Amino acid sequence: MKSNKIWLLICCGMICTGCWDQHLMKNATLVQTVTYDLTPKKLLRVGAATPVLNNTDSLQNVTLVAEAITPGEARILLNRKASGLLDSSKNKLLLLGEAYAVHDILPFLDIHYRNPRNALDARVAVVKGEALPLIQLKSKSEINVSRYLLNLIQSAEESLLIPKEDIQAIASEIMDPGEDITLPYIEMESNNQIANVKGIALFNESKYTGHYLNYEQSPLLLLLKGEKPRQNSFSLNFESSKEEFPRRQVVSFLINKSKRKLKLTVDEQQISVAVHMKLVLRVIEYPNGDVEADKEKLMCELTAYFTKLTGDVIHQLQSANCDAFGIGRMIIAYHPDIWRRLDKDQYFKQIKFSPNIQIDEIKSGIEH
């Protein structure tokens, strides 16, 4: 009886060892970067960067391109051009050209959420001009163009220059009526051999507004949103009384610590937000001489600098109607009656902001 049970288990094991739902990598063409552009004929141009080993076992980048009405239709066309079935499980990046991003991007992201094999942790970024040429560039530092672009974005994230946004994260933010998304903004330099992170692209709901924050404004926005400071540096030039070269004094510094608070005040006539931020700075370059001797002057100059920079960031956000702070979310949570009466399309432009930036300490010398 016991031997019969053993034979039964062996037979069942032999029958059940196979799996009908197999995805063999040898039959797949891996997609590592996808680009979306809008053609002059209002068609969606989709590019796919796939790394391929040639006959000498060296890596080369193959770019597949298709024009269609939707990403799903484009995927069918791309499959016909690929040597194997397209597999986007290893997708690293989704790059959106400007002409495409100014339209509603949410419907075109639908395919990324419905297919369980799609990589939802792929980074999303807006590209100045067209996105397709970016995956066709020839980098001298990295053969795999997708890895090069991903390293570029991750480096900017670590420096607190751009936000860390992926396909999964932006879905809930786009559909939230009280907050707008911001995405990395990239350009390809004129020599077509290097990409450059320019700053942060500002969105209103699911559309790129055409406004972006530059490399100086971008880290400040992230600090104002509550991000912790990292290795991002600032440089401030101000007039010098000296006649000889250089005519300007320079101070370069890091932000060691930051603490910010947004205070919302709502009444029937006006929505006001007081922006309070305290900073601790560390000077890393001051050719003029003794930091300690000039600390009072530097404190005054840097306070004025950050106050103006904060005003510039807020002005850019309101011009773009981009509620990157999530003020609408705060109103929904604490003043739902006011929210129901607000013009949802224009409320952010009408908010009165009052920035108050305070430099708590300026450090110099070697950090222990």
Side-chain angles (χ1 to χ4, degrees):
M1 185 69 178
K2 189 174 182 180
S3 60
N4 290 339
K5 289 183 178 180
I6 293 173
W7 277 108
L8 181 63
L9 289 172
I10 292 173
C11 292
C12 289
M14 292 174 66
I15 294 171
C16 299
T17 51
C19 178
W20 64 271
D21 187 20
Q22 294 187 78
H23 294 274
L24 300 179
M25 298 305 291
K26 66 178 183 178
N27 299 328
T29 298
L30 290 178
V31 176
Q32 292 190 332
T33 302
V34 176
T35 66
Y36 286 173
D37 287 303
L38 193 66
T39 71
K41 295 182 178 180
K42 305 301 180 184
L43 289 175
L44 183 67
R45 179 184 291 131
V46 179
T50 63
V52 176
L53 288 176
N54 58 26
N55 295 332
T56 60
D57 289 336
S58 60
L59 186 71
Q60 68 179 56
N61 296 294
V62 175
T63 303
L64 304 175
V65 184
E67 293 184 3
I69 299 174
T70 67
E73 183 185 11
R75 186 184 180 91
I76 295 172
L77 298 176
L78 290 172
N79 261 320
R80 296 174 184 172
K81 301 180 180 182
S83 58
L85 189 66
L86 289 181
D87 187 329
S88 55
S89 62
K90 303 300 181 184
N91 186 30
K92 303 175 185 294
L93 294 168
L94 176 59
L95 304 177
L96 315 176
E98 276 185 313
Y100 160 77
V102 297
H103 297 277
D104 188 358
I105 68 172
L106 187 58
F108 293 91
L109 295 176
D110 181 76
I111 189 174
H112 295 274
Y113 302 120
R114 291 188 184 275
N115 187 341
R117 289 190 57 78
N118 280 338
L120 295 181
D121 61 347
R123 301 294 201 277
V124 187
V126 176
V127 180
K128 183 179 180 181
E130 293 186 343
L132 180 61
L134 205 59
I135 61 174
Q136 297 171 326
L137 63 78
K138 307 296 182 182
S139 172
K140 295 180 180 179
S141 60
E142 175 61 66
I143 297 175
N144 188 329
V145 66
S146 298
R147 187 180 296 123
Y148 163 72
L149 293 172
L150 181 62
N151 289 342
L152 179 78
I153 289 177
Q154 289 178 331
S155 175
E157 290 172 356
E158 288 299 316
S159 300
L160 202 69
L161 177 60
I162 55 176
K164 183 179 178 179
E165 293 286 11
D166 56 41
I167 294 175
Q168 183 172 357
I170 67 172
S172 58
E173 295 175 18
I174 288 176
M175 292 184 285
D176 188 338
E179 185 176 6
D180 292 314
I181 65 169
T182 58
L183 295 179
Y185 187 59
I186 306 172
E187 73 169 344
M188 186 169 67
E189 295 192 355
S190 56
N191 57 11
N192 293 341
Q193 293 184 346
I194 191 169
N196 179 30
V197 177
K198 288 182 68 68
I200 295 178
L202 305 180
F203 278 67
N204 175 236
E205 296 181 345
S206 55
K207 299 178 182 180
Y208 172 50
T209 62
H211 295 260
Y212 73 94
L213 301 180
N214 62 30
Y215 66 91
E216 191 177 29
Q217 299 164 337
S218 296
L220 185 61
L221 170 64
L222 299 180
L223 291 174
L224 290 170
K225 291 182 67 175
E227 295 277 352
K228 297 301 180 183
R230 298 170 199 163
Q231 292 302 312
N232 52 304
S233 59
F234 293 80
S235 182
L236 173 64
N237 300 332
F238 48 94
E239 292 293 342
S240 171
S241 58
K242 296 179 180 179
E243 293 296 327
E244 67 272 13
F245 175 83
R247 293 292 303 275
R248 290 177 175 270
Q249 293 180 355
V250 179
V251 55
S252 299
F253 54 91
L254 298 172
I255 299 178
N256 269 18
K257 295 180 182 178
S258 68
K259 184 178 180 181
R260 78 95 172 93
K261 180 180 179 182
L262 302 179
K263 184 177 180 181
L264 174 68
T265 304
V266 177
D267 58 39
E268 296 293 337
Q269 286 76 37
Q270 183 67 60
I271 300 173
S272 303
V273 176
V275 182
H276 300 279
M277 188 163 67
K278 295 182 179 181
L279 300 172
V280 175
L281 311 179
R282 176 172 295 279
V283 174
I284 58 175
E285 180 189 33
Y286 189 56
N288 195 48
D290 192 348
V291 173
E292 293 298 322
D294 294 344
K295 185 170 285 188
E296 186 175 341
K297 176 185 177 182
L298 288 173
M299 193 83 77
C300 181
E301 292 281 354
L302 291 170
T303 300
Y305 166 75
F306 275 108
T307 300
K308 181 182 183 303
L309 190 59
T310 302
D312 292 342
V313 169
I314 292 171
H315 174 72
Q316 282 278 64
L317 290 174
Q318 290 192 300
S319 297
N321 200 19
C322 174
D323 187 358
F325 295 131
I327 304 300
R329 173 53 48 197
M330 296 169 64
I331 300 172
I332 292 171
Y334 300 109
H335 306 276
D337 293 337
I338 298 293
W339 175 256
R340 281 191 286 269
R341 295 195 294 270
L342 283 178
D343 180 351
K344 307 304 186 295
D345 295 329
Q346 297 294 324
Y347 76 91
F348 186 72
K349 287 185 174 183
Q350 298 166 358
I351 295 174
K352 181 181 179 182
F353 284 91
S354 302
N356 179 19
I357 311 301
Q358 179 181 334
I359 309 295
D360 273 2
E361 187 180 358
I362 297 179
K363 299 180 179 180
S364 60
I366 299 173
E367 185 175 9
H368 299 287

